[in-house]
Amino acid sequence: MNEVVFSKAEGRIGIIEINSPPVNALSHAVRDGIVRALQTARNDKDVEAIVLICAGRTFIAGADIREFGLPPKAPHLPEVVAALEASPKPVVAAIHGTALGGGFEIALGCHYRVAGVAAKVGLPEVKLGLIPGAGGTQRLPRLIGVEGALQMIMSGNPIAAKKAAEMGAVDHVVLDDLLKETIDFTGKLLDECAPLRRLCDIQIDPGSVPENYYDEFRLANARRMRGYFAPERIISAVQAAVEMNFEDGMRRERELFIECLHSPESIALRHVFFAERKAGKVDGLTKDTPLRDTKSVALIGTGTMGGGIAMNFASKGIPVHMVDVDDAAIERGMAVVRSNYMRGVKKGRMSEAQFDTLMQLFIPTTNYEDLAGVDLVIEAVFENMAVKKDIFRRLDQVCKPGAILASNTSTLDLNEIAAVTSRPQDVVGLHFFSPANIMRLLEIVRGAETSLEVLATVMGLAKKIGKVGVVSGVCHGFIGNRMLEGYIREAGLMLLEGAKPEQIDRVLYEFGMPMGPIAMGDLAGIDVGAKVREERRRKGTFPADERFGLVADKLVAMGRCGQKTGAGVYRYEEGSRAAIPDPEVQTLIQNEAARLGISQRHLSDEEILTRCIYPLINEGAKILDEGIAQRASDIDIVWINGYGFPPYRGGPMHYADHVGPGKIYEQICRYRDTLGNEFGYWESAPLLEKLASDRRKFADL
Ligand code: 3HC
């Protein structure tokens, strides 16, 4: 016993209770406490069996991730699990909340597992770039078979108690009082002289694994595994469970776990885990910041974006007014919503009845007066300041006091929008990413006058609808799109300098992006960027650089707007998304380069990568310096969840730390000298220069 693990007895049953908030992670104190409590129960002659249970919101949620960088301290987790398994008195795990990672491995070391009906079990280590390291890869296949175990470990997703029971991972599911029912279950085991079920004693029949199973598994999971380090090691560890005896399998698991633990991928993914949680902590907000109701929502603009946004709320049972200029426009938006939800029905994710209930939550209207009682209004019309101002003026007139007025603008000045209302404190930016019902990122734009109450409310709301909310200050493009500019610009310039579109896309794809910048432009529609450039040229805020966006602008003028028109930079066959390089575009690029006096050359993959990624990091440093982002890790979360930056690289700022800010600074200076800096493209961020000279990292800020 110690300060986080407690023992008591109820008759012949000893109870070990772990109470280490917030999630009973397996810190040294918890591990040590379990071993000591087990010894106490073992020595107590009156105790015949043991129940292991947790206090608070959950069963053990895993190893203590914060201890991963520290020197290991005995007892190590595999030893704790082994001690439970070796107990001569039956040990039963009583699971509520989530038994995850090392927590589930502890449960697997117990002889039986009882779970509350709402509980979940899982091995999410893969999401941290790890493999289960306390016997999970050896015991789970012995318990539920190789195929089920490999699926579960590779996906990292937790499984609900009932399903876990069907798979054999849990022995009994209880509806009410977990402790009482587990004690009853354990009592019955004693009465029936049930054997101690030690998973380490089970030998897996190699014949139970289908021929070529691992190769087929690799093939089926190739997309998910791309670029990741842990998955291949998970397969090896599970294979060891079949091909080796338990002790050797455990040794193999340990070696592979340690390899993963020190891999840059795992370091990056652990950074992402904590970064995501930090993003929720916003300057000025406390637990006591009052929250407003968000029981009803309205969407102004029911296009693809508005429809996607609305689905987030309806899916959580929140009614949504769908407002547009006429019934036809609303109907177009509703058709998108219907077809998206219908896909869920067809895939068996929801029933027809659930579909009908969901659809009833949408309230179409063309009348702003209907919004008088709504708690939150989100404007999602196209990017035009005059139109948005007009909408906010009307909202100011009809909405009740205290209603939150949000804009989904991706670039425009939120303060200017807020200024047309009599309540700028209630105005906030909610920048969703397309497709809005799927993408996890929600950039929350904090205007100069946005109140803390409003900010706290929308942060909470983001979590409720399953988004990760990141706060951004006001600037052109906010965090994400502002950084995107340099990335896209350089890709376009390199086309003129001689890089082929497919080379640029391959380099960024191999870096881990879901697709390269050129293919992404074709997917999103290159006319979108062309319009933004045109608007900025008109306003005089665009660099006077003819090369910037030139190829895209020429293609748009030819009616080649991307996939939607069958051609952009690439060509697309009818009904296919496969990008086909187009000689016609190559000729156009060569002609334009010649006209501008750019002599085309071979560009190395390294140059392509650094010219796309380093401007992005440089802009991130400026954003940080200006206080637009609260912390470097917030920028990482934006880029991972909004733009597909590979999570195993930890986001652009973590990647910068990995490469070294000094090295990036030097390369930016080299590009300034070799490529020229007439338009300020290679002006190093002062913060980057400072980190380089202090030999510090973004994580040190
Ligand atoms: N170690 C250390 N801290 C942890 C932790 C862990 N395993 N899990 C959660 N925390 C911390 C969070 O950082 C957060 O701290 P904060 O309040 O200071 O920000 C706090 O606990 C609460 O976490 P959440 O905000 O995530 O709370 P939720 O209720 O939303 O979610 C949860 C709870 C589902 C348990 C979620 O925290 C989670 O998924 N945790 C990670 C689980 C995991 O990955 N386990 C495997 C660890 S690796 C392992 O076990 C290796 C082994 O095989 C050897």
Side-chain angles (χ1 to χ4, degrees):
M1 269 213 303
N2 59 17
E3 70 281 8
V4 287
V5 182
F6 305 88
S7 301
K8 59 182 177 185
E10 284 210 12
R12 56 187 174 156
I13 314 286
I15 297 161
I16 299 178
E17 188 189 66
I18 301 164
N19 188 355
S20 181
V23 296
N24 293 310
L26 288 155
S27 62
H28 175 256
V30 171
R31 299 196 305 271
D32 187 53
I34 295 174
V35 172
R36 285 170 195 272
L38 195 59
Q39 194 57 44
T40 308
R42 207 172 155 162
N43 293 343
D44 186 338
K45 286 194 198 59
D46 296 332
V47 166
E48 294 175 33
I50 301 154
V51 168
L52 181 75
I53 195 163
C54 290
R57 67 204 227 207
T58 180
F59 193 78
I60 302 164
D64 191 331
I65 307 169
R66 288 173 213 276
E67 284 187 1
F68 278 165
L70 309 172
K73 231 166 127 186
H76 307 296
L77 189 51
E79 293 158 12
V80 180
V81 179
L84 289 162
E85 194 168 50
S87 162
K89 301 178 182 180
V91 187
V92 181
I95 300 167
H96 78 291
T98 42
L100 298 179
F104 187 40
E105 290 172 301
I106 286 273
L108 291 172
C110 297
H111 304 113
Y112 293 90
R113 285 151 293 279
V114 174
V117 70
K120 289 182 179 174
V121 299
L123 292 169
E125 285 85 345
V126 68
K127 297 186 181 178
L128 298 171
L130 297 170
I131 73 167
T137 65
Q138 304 305 297
R139 290 190 179 88
L140 192 60
R142 285 174 160 81
L143 182 64
I144 65 168
V146 168
E147 292 175 62
L150 193 51
Q151 293 285 1
M152 200 168 154
I153 300 171
M154 194 63 92
S155 82
N157 295 330
I159 290 179
K162 279 190 180 158
K163 175 102 198 314
E166 280 164 26
M167 293 168 75
V170 160
D171 299 294
H172 184 53
V173 178
V174 306
L175 291 175
D176 292 322
D177 186 333
L178 179 64
L179 179 60
K180 182 183 168 304
E181 294 197 42
T182 309
I183 290 175
D184 292 349
F185 176 88
T186 310
K188 255 191 234 145
L189 290 178
L190 289 175
D191 296 341
E192 291 165 6
C193 297
L196 289 176
R197 277 185 34 211
R198 294 194 173 104
L199 300 181
C200 64
D201 290 341
I202 298 172
Q203 191 61 49
I204 301 172
D205 170 16
S208 67
V209 183
E211 211 179 322
N212 298 330
Y213 172 67
Y214 302 108
D215 286 341
E216 278 163 20
F217 185 88
R218 274 188 194 96
L219 212 62
N221 290 276
R223 249 186 76 188
R224 188 186 306 163
M225 290 166 65
R226 180 170 80 91
Y228 285 85
F229 185 76
E232 194 50 52
R233 277 138 197 95
I234 289 173
I235 296 176
S236 300
V238 170
Q239 224 168 334
V242 182
E243 292 162 9
M244 295 179 177
N245 65 38
F246 183 75
E247 286 71 30
D248 289 344
M250 284 297 289
R251 258 192 293 280
R252 183 81 189 111
E253 181 194 81
R254 196 77 212 150
E255 284 163 14
L256 294 164
F257 176 79
I258 300 289
E259 261 182 49
C260 288
L261 189 64
H262 299 299
S263 67
E265 285 86 345
S266 178
I267 293 168
L269 288 164
R270 273 141 47 199
H271 158 78
V272 174
F273 176 84
F274 288 116
E276 209 173 296
R277 279 145 188 88
K278 258 193 242 158
K281 299 180 173 66
V282 179
D283 284 347
L285 300 189
T286 67
K287 276 199 213 97
D288 303 326
T289 310
L291 299 176
R292 295 191 188 167
D293 275 345
T294 47
K295 292 193 184 115
S296 57
V297 174
L299 250 300
I300 315 271
T302 59
T304 313
M305 193 63 178
I309 296 173
M311 287 174 72
N312 288 292
F313 298 101
S315 298
K316 293 290 167 200
I318 300 173
V320 193
H321 284 78
M322 300 291 276
V323 189
D324 218 317
V325 284
D326 55 35
D327 292 343
I330 299 175
E331 187 37 49
R332 275 196 298 277
M334 290 309 299
V336 175
V337 171
R338 252 193 305 274
S339 99
N340 281 344
Y341 277 137
M342 242 325 154
R343 217 170 295 142
V345 175
K346 284 192 188 121
K347 288 193 174 159
R349 282 200 298 261
M350 78 167 79
S351 66
E352 297 264 1
Q354 282 168 320
F355 171 83
D356 291 340
T357 312
L358 270 175
M359 292 311 295
Q360 277 165 20
L361 290 169
F362 292 90
I363 310 155
T365 178
T366 51
N367 188 356
Y368 274 57
E369 305 293 327
D370 291 347
L371 309 185
V374 166
D375 293 326
L376 164 68
V377 185
I378 304 174
E379 162 278 308
V381 303
F382 54 96
E383 290 288 89
N384 180 300
M385 184 56 102
V387 175
K388 288 190 194 262
K389 279 185 176 170
D390 186 46
I391 289 171
F392 273 77
R393 273 190 208 102
R394 291 173 74 182
L395 291 175
D396 193 26
Q397 280 161 13
V398 298
C399 290
K400 66 181 180 186
I404 298 175
L405 309 182
S407 172
N408 178 51
T409 179
S410 54
T411 49
L412 300 177
D413 184 342
L414 186 80
N415 294 330
E416 208 181 318
I417 297 174
V420 303
T421 72
S422 62
R423 38 175 135 176
Q425 74 280 2
D426 295 338
V427 177
V428 69
L430 291 181
H431 179 209
F432 287 82
F433 286 69
S434 191
N437 53 321
I438 293 173
M439 297 296 281
R440 277 189 81 217
L441 178 64
L442 180 59
E443 241 181 350
I444 294 176
V445 185
R446 181 180 197 166
E449 298 195 45
T450 306
S451 76
L452 293 178
E453 242 177 83
V454 167
L455 204 56
T457 305
V458 294
M459 284 302 289
L461 189 65
K463 202 164 179 187
K464 184 169 175 188
I465 61 172
K467 303 282 180 210
V468 42
V470 179
V471 171
S472 168
V474 176
C475 65
H476 180 83
F478 313 121
I479 297 174
N481 280 348
R482 176 168 158 185
M483 288 168 71
L484 185 66
E485 182 170 306
Y487 177 79
I488 299 290
R489 178 195 69 224
E490 287 305 306
L493 295 185
M494 286 189 284
L495 287 178
L496 288 170
E497 289 168 40
K500 297 268 188 322
E502 54 276 26
Q503 186 194 3
I504 297 175
D505 282 343
R506 175 182 54 74
V507 169
L508 273 304
Y509 179 78
E510 283 172 4
F511 177 74
M513 301 298 287
M515 61 180 73
I518 312 286
M520 186 179 81
D522 268 5
L523 176 68
I526 47 179
D527 52 325
V528 179
K531 273 201 202 97
V532 173
R533 282 189 292 276
E534 197 183 300
E535 174 82 8
R536 287 183 61 197
R537 273 193 204 102
R538 224 171 24 81
K539 277 194 186 161
T541 58
F542 195 73
D545 177 4
E546 200 188 338
R547 301 166 309 158
F548 189 167
L550 177 69
V551 175
D553 290 347
K554 292 275 171 203
L555 291 171
V556 171
M558 292 160 67
R560 300 179 64 130
C561 297
Q563 282 190 23
K564 60 187 172 190
T565 55
V569 178
Y570 297 106
R571 207 163 55 70
Y572 301 88
E573 304 266 290
E574 181 85 33
S576 161
R577 291 179 164 212
I580 306 166
D582 191 341
E584 196 186 325
V585 172
Q586 213 38 57
T587 310
L588 178 141
I589 293 172
Q590 278 161 1
N591 290 344
E592 287 302 317
R595 183 175 67 79
L596 293 172
I598 300 168
S599 50
Q600 292 207 316
R601 61 187 169 97
H602 167 77
L603 278 82
S604 69
D605 288 359
E606 174 71 14
E607 175 172 352
I608 289 174
L609 183 68
T610 51
R611 278 183 63 183
C612 283
I613 300 290
Y614 288 7
L616 199 154
I617 293 167
N618 197 36
E619 201 62 38
K622 290 181 190 167
I623 281 172
L624 206 52
D625 220 7
E626 292 167 21
I628 297 295
Q630 245 184 238
R631 46 181 93 82
S633 62
D634 282 6
I635 297 176
D636 290 335
I637 294 304
V638 165
W639 266 76
I640 288 172
N641 293 288
Y643 300 83
F645 198 94
Y648 61 82
R649 296 200 190 271
M653 309 320 277
H654 178 86
Y655 177 70
D657 279 349
H658 173 71
V659 175
K663 222 174 129 190
I664 293 173
Y665 171 69
E666 282 162 22
Q667 186 59 55
I668 285 177
C669 293
R670 261 197 296 278
Y671 283 142
R672 180 194 59 205
D673 298 340
T674 54
L675 299 170
N677 196 29
E678 191 184 345
F679 305 102
Y681 300 158
W682 297 105
E683 201 60 56
S684 161
L687 178 62
L688 186 65
E689 185 176 355
K690 187 162 170 26
L691 290 182
S693 79
D694 297 352
R695 295 176 181 276
R696 287 194 306 154
K697 297 188 166 194
F698 286 104
D700 300 329
L701 293 173

